[in-house]
Amino acid sequence: MSDLTGKVALISGAARGQGAAEARLFVERGAKVVIADVLDEDAWKLAADLGADNATAVHLDVSDPEQWAAALDAGREAFGKVDVLVNNAGIYFQGAITETPVERYRKLIDVNQIGVFLGMRTLAPHMASLGGGSIVNIVSMSSFAPLDLTSAYASTKSALLGMSKAAVGELGPLGIRVNMIHPGGVATDMGAPAGVVPEAYKQAPLGRIGEPREIATVAAFLASDDSSYCSGAEILVDGGWTVGTRNPWATAQ
Ligand SMILES: NC(=O)c1ccc[n+]([C@@H]2O[C@H](COP(=O)([O-])OP(=O)(O)OC[C@H]3O[C@@H](n4cnc5c(N)ncnc54)[C@H](O)[C@@H]3O)[C@@H](O)[C@H]2O)c1
């Protein structure tokens, strides 16, 4: 069980879903957390649940550089430093290439892609001043094994592969590790809208959708000193989905 005592983590998109699960688990494991999201009410409610000694909330639209600076300030003010960044905030869009409005695509780029870039750009100098830190980028299996009808979304996630890997070399000498998690289907508003789990998840080798806490435990490992020699790692957390294509020639036993 990865210990996070003494760590302070800023988690983007932490008001609900995987980010909220990460905030809860990180506090259980001893960290202080900054819950950063556009959903202020949910963010503050979660912070209150976790207790003022353990958590604070801040309004953050990840596509806005000034709001990133304010989020870092909020973390430093509340807990003195931020040495873990989980770039988790993301939005999804599904649609045929011919039916994807360009403005929708640009919004995906702003949040999923530039949002992660700005997070690293804002936090890296501060982490360097501390002697190092850990950045966990929440990417997706879509970055390398996209489903059809996800060209816009998948391309923003694929961009994070190159961005994260380039950052590994640039930030490593500053003591900053950069790692990636590739979730498959996860039971959140994004993965199971309105709480309805698509039947297709049964085809994954593990036969079910993932739970947000199952991503959070991996994020805790990458945030902790247990992963002190990991940088550039990509951890697939998808129940075997992308590896375990079912055999179409198999006959029912
Ligand atoms: N759920 C899945 O099946 C799945 C699969 C692969 C990858 N992912 C990725 O996991 C991450 C978390 O998604 P989730 O499943 O928890 O979805 P979710 O929709 O439940 O949560 C996303 C969070 O991001 C926040 N957010 C959206 N735009 C924002 C912005 N501009 N600034 C700050 N916060 C913003 C939302 O308010 C929300 O709290 C995303 O990056 C997503 O792309 C999800």
Side-chain angles (χ1 to χ4, degrees), residues 13 15-18 37-39 60-62 88-91 111 138-140 153 157 183-186 188-191:
R16 70 176 192 209
Q18 294 176 51
D37 205 301
V38 287
L39 300 176
L60 173 66
D61 177 342
V62 292
N88 164 78
I91 54 175
V111 175
I138 306 299
V139 187
S140 175
Y153 173 80
K157 292 296 185 176
V186 186
T188 62
D189 284 11
M190 188 183 289

Side-chain angles (χ1 to χ4, degrees), residues 26-39:
F26 280 27
V27 168
E28 275 174 37
R29 303 261 172 105
K32 314 285 186 194
V33 295
V34 182
I35 297 160
D37 205 301
V38 287
L39 300 176

Side-chain angles (χ1 to χ4, degrees), residues 8-14 23 32-37 54-58 70-72 74-76 78-79 81-82:
V8 180
L10 192 160
I11 306 170
S12 71
K32 314 285 186 194
V33 295
V34 182
I35 297 160
D37 205 301
N54 301 317
T56 191
V58 65
L72 171 57
R76 293 176 73 171
F79 304 121
K81 65 169 184 178
V82 177

